[in-house]
Amino acid sequence: SDSHHTVGTISYPDEQVYANLYLGSATSSVSGGAVGTAATQLGDVLVKDSEVSSVSAKNLIVVGGSCINSVAASLLGGSACSADFTTKTSVGTGQFLIQSIASSYSTGKVALVVAGYEAADTANAEKYLTTQVVDTTVGKKYIGTTATTATLTTTSA
């Protein structure tokens, strides 16, 4: 009810976002400064399965099923399409897989397989991975049906 108080409105989107918000008097200011070390932008980290040797010493996120991605095939025990993919992974029509496996490319590294039964299912897996909390510890396996629904089916010992 005081006329000298102003009102500020903060709106935000439905998707998760992070912001730094600084409030102060009209005469205050904020200036940038270096604290610690600066982050380095990764740039384009897309690597085709045929180029895996260039990143094989790193932790990997492998997108696509074993039918179309040779790295996924290597990690999941061979190339498998349709019903064979279901037999190997327990992932059927309308489902996706997010599975953390000890990398066969580098000791001590993790490969996270993100794959769907069909392309649309892989897209749901990608969305799930980027919007939900996923435990990427080796041995964890999620099977899901939508961008927001998945069940942890296997845990590491």
Side-chain angles (χ1 to χ4, degrees), residues 88-99:
K88 279 191 181 292
T89 64
S90 301
V91 172
T93 304
Q95 294 182 312
F96 66 77
L97 168 74
I98 299 174
Q99 184 173 358

Side-chain angles (χ1 to χ4, degrees), residues 17-61:
V17 296
Y18 297 94
N20 291 326
L21 180 63
Y22 302 96
L23 300 176
S25 69
T27 60
S28 64
S29 67
V30 176
S31 60
V35 176
T37 59
T40 303
Q41 184 173 351
L42 290 175
D44 187 4
V45 292
L46 175 66
V47 178
K48 296 177 185 175
D49 58 348
S50 61
E51 303 167 330
V52 72
S53 62
S54 67
V55 294
S56 61
K58 301 181 182 303
N59 291 318
L60 304 173
I61 299 175

Side-chain angles (χ1 to χ4, degrees), residues 78-149:
S79 179
C81 303
S82 303
D84 293 334
F85 182 71
T86 301
T87 301
K88 279 191 181 292
T89 64
S90 301
V91 172
T93 304
Q95 294 182 312
F96 66 77
L97 168 74
I98 299 174
Q99 184 173 358
S100 185
I101 302 169
S103 178
S104 56
Y105 295 94
S106 184
T107 304
K109 297 298 180 179
V110 176
L112 189 67
V113 177
V114 181
Y117 191 83
E118 299 285 341
D121 304 318
T122 300
N124 279 337
E126 294 166 352
K127 185 72 170 177
Y128 187 91
L129 181 62
T130 59
T131 62
Q132 305 299 313
V133 176
V134 175
D135 184 346
T136 59
T137 305
V138 170
K140 302 292 183 170
K141 177 179 178 182
Y142 294 82
I143 295 178
T145 55
T146 70
T148 58
T149 306

Side-chain angles (χ1 to χ4, degrees), residues 57-81:
K58 301 181 182 303
N59 291 318
L60 304 173
I61 299 175
V62 180
V63 179
S66 61
C67 185
I68 62 161
N69 186 321
S70 63
V71 175
S74 173
L75 293 165
L76 295 173
S79 179
C81 303

Side-chain angles (χ1 to χ4, degrees), residues 1-7:
S1 65
D2 277 341
S3 62
H4 70 278
H5 288 220
T6 56
V7 175

